[in-house]
Amino acid sequence: MFGSTYGNIFKISTWGESHGKGIGVVVDGCPAGLSLSEEDIQRYLDRRKPGQNKYATPRKESDSVVIMSGIFQGKTTGTPISMMILNKTQRSEDYDEIASYYRPGHADYTFDMKYGFRDPRGGGRASGRETIGRTAAGAIAAKILKELGIEVLAYTKSIGNIDCDMSIFDEEEINNNPLKMPDANAAKKARAYLDQCIEEENSTGGVVECIVKHCPPGIGEPVFEKLDANLAKAIMSLGAVKAVEIGAGTQVAKSTGQENNDSFYIEDGKMKKRTNHAGGILGGLSDGSDIVIRASIKPTSSIASLQQTVNKKGEHIEINIQGRHDPIIVPRAVVVIESMAAITVLDMLLASMTSRMDKIKEFFVRS
């Protein structure tokens, strides 16, 4: 299967299935000398693991990571870092019936058309559980970026039609509620809405916003490897994401040049912008202001209410999908989107080290 590897210098390859023996990732291109432990990775995995509240799948997994290679005496060696997470509570029998038909909203039909075969147990490689590997790799990328003074923060901006009031943004509140919203009042309303969805055996979607702070200007490439293009590709590669916006996003179509252009000014000898409609990226390159990314996430496809579909015999049938499923994907996707943003920014930052002769000389030529 192609397409399980992402990145050019900081490169990740994820492996495993939702109900296989385990799942994991190999990270290649991590610089030597980074202090790294399983605890560093586990903090990220704990943010996305299932079974933490009634708005996540009740599947109970510790999602405990084991670092198999690439670390010696607490530091990275520069060789590939392999990480594994064993699946402890897979229940393949929950999916025996599903093998005979195509679930609406899932990749069952498309996998069959491409491979002539599919793993029906939780979706196999198409399962959201594949994102464990991305999250583990993202923990490493985020730690490297933090040592460079670059921060990546994601949160739930909206659930259904309930939006956070960004004028009262509270970063501490993000981890105080199970929905990862920076607005306590919006989180309260969203919980009531989700309770209604659960009662109706339904699901809902939402928007995750991700901010990359203190990224230096000039990161990215001006044509096919644009920073915004690669961020969009990385985040759109998540199965539940159906749209990605940078900065003002689709609102630019309703704007004028006078409204949309961000005016520059100098403050304390540094270039700044009075607004940030561009979302921190101009011409595919970072401009030094906050990089702002939004991902629109679809409702969970597996719902218990009655749905119509077709089985492998071509017969029209009605189904009620049973098993352990999230009524909403958004809160658990927050750390995954944060991770993919960190991986992309780090990979492109490392590539940018080769873009200027004076910088290459500064690194390699010894006086």
Side-chain angles (χ1 to χ4, degrees):
M1 178 184 286
F2 293 104
S4 292
T5 298
Y6 177 75
N8 293 305
I9 296 179
F10 187 87
K11 185 176 293 188
I12 73 168
S13 296
T14 69
W15 55 267
E17 293 80 35
S18 175
H19 286 249
K21 290 185 177 181
I23 211 152
V25 64
V26 176
V27 177
D28 204 359
C30 179
L34 175 73
S35 294
L36 189 68
S37 67
E38 289 175 350
E39 288 73 23
D40 293 324
I41 311 300
Q42 196 62 52
R43 280 193 291 272
Y44 270 63
L45 294 181
D46 286 347
R47 292 168 59 193
R48 74 151 301 283
K49 74 179 180 181
Q52 299 189 75
N53 57 70
K54 68 177 180 178
Y55 305 117
T57 170
R59 177 175 177 173
K60 293 291 184 181
E61 292 280 2
S62 64
D63 284 354
S64 299
V65 67
V66 178
I67 299 178
M68 308 294 289
S69 65
I71 308 292
F72 181 69
Q73 296 182 341
K75 292 186 180 293
T76 56
T77 62
T79 58
I81 301 169
S82 181
M83 294 178 280
M84 178 176 65
I85 299 91
L86 292 177
N87 292 326
K88 299 290 189 179
T89 64
Q90 63 268 52
R91 293 198 327 221
S92 299
E93 65 274 12
D94 286 349
Y95 299 93
D96 289 344
E97 182 189 3
I98 288 171
S100 68
Y101 60 76
Y102 300 115
R103 294 169 296 171
H106 284 275
D108 299 345
Y109 174 71
T110 50
F111 259 63
D112 259 0
M113 293 302 100
K114 180 172 178 64
Y115 298 106
F117 172 84
R118 67 182 167 95
D119 181 351
R121 304 167 304 164
R125 283 293 285 167
S127 169
R129 194 155 175 75
E130 180 271 337
T131 63
I132 291 176
R134 303 167 185 244
T135 305
I140 299 174
K143 185 162 191 183
I144 297 172
L145 291 177
K146 190 173 183 179
E147 291 204 9
L148 300 174
I150 301 171
E151 301 174 22
V152 187
L153 174 69
Y155 47 85
T156 301
K157 191 173 189 295
S158 68
I159 287 177
N161 61 2
I162 300 162
D163 296 293
C164 288
D165 182 351
M166 302 307 284
S167 68
I168 56 170
F169 182 95
D170 183 355
E171 185 172 333
E172 291 186 2
E173 178 60 28
I174 296 170
N175 293 318
N176 284 342
N177 64 79
L179 304 181
K180 308 300 182 186
M181 301 181 92
D183 173 358
N185 187 49
K188 183 178 179 181
K189 292 179 181 177
R191 290 176 76 167
Y193 172 59
L194 284 171
D195 288 341
Q196 179 184 340
C197 288
I198 293 171
E199 186 176 338
E200 296 172 352
E201 298 182 325
N202 208 350
S203 62
T204 190
V207 174
V208 172
E209 187 165 81
C210 183
I211 312 293
V212 183
K213 301 180 180 180
H214 315 304
C215 182
I219 304 303
E221 302 298 331
V223 186
F224 295 119
E225 295 290 308
K226 285 180 165 65
L227 177 57
D228 44 357
N230 282 1
L231 284 167
K233 176 183 178 178
I235 293 169
M236 280 292 290
S237 71
L238 301 172
V241 174
K242 301 305 292 183
V244 174
E245 294 182 290
I246 307 291
T250 59
Q251 292 303 307
V252 299
K254 303 175 183 178
S255 185
T256 67
Q258 289 179 338
E259 294 166 337
N260 188 64
N261 288 345
D262 301 312
S263 298
F264 290 106
Y265 70 100
I266 299 292
E267 182 177 273
D268 299 327
K270 293 184 178 180
M271 182 74 81
K272 295 188 176 181
K273 300 188 307 182
R274 300 192 187 280
T275 55
N276 191 23
H277 299 122
I281 301 174
L282 291 167
L285 311 172
S286 59
D287 64 22
S289 53
D290 287 354
I291 297 170
V292 182
I293 314 148
R294 280 182 303 282
S296 295
I297 298 175
K298 71 176 184 177
T300 315
S301 297
S302 291
I303 54 177
S305 55
L306 193 67
Q307 298 182 84
Q308 295 182 339
T309 189
V310 173
N311 63 22
K312 283 194 166 186
K313 298 177 182 178
E315 300 167 333
H316 292 89
I317 60 172
E318 292 183 334
I319 62 169
N320 297 90
I321 296 177
Q322 305 301 315
R324 301 167 294 177
H325 307 290
D326 307 68
I328 184 169
I329 300 169
V330 177
R332 292 177 62 210
V334 166
V335 68
V336 185
I337 288 170
E338 191 173 293
S339 295
M340 292 307 294
I343 291 166
T344 302
V345 170
L346 175 60
D347 186 44
M348 302 207 76
L349 187 148
L350 294 173
S352 288
M353 292 174 65
T354 64
S355 61
R356 288 173 51 170
M357 194 65 195
D358 58 337
K359 297 298 182 183
I360 295 173
K361 285 183 177 179
E362 184 180 317
F363 183 84
F364 285 104
V365 178
R366 309 300 182 195
S367 58

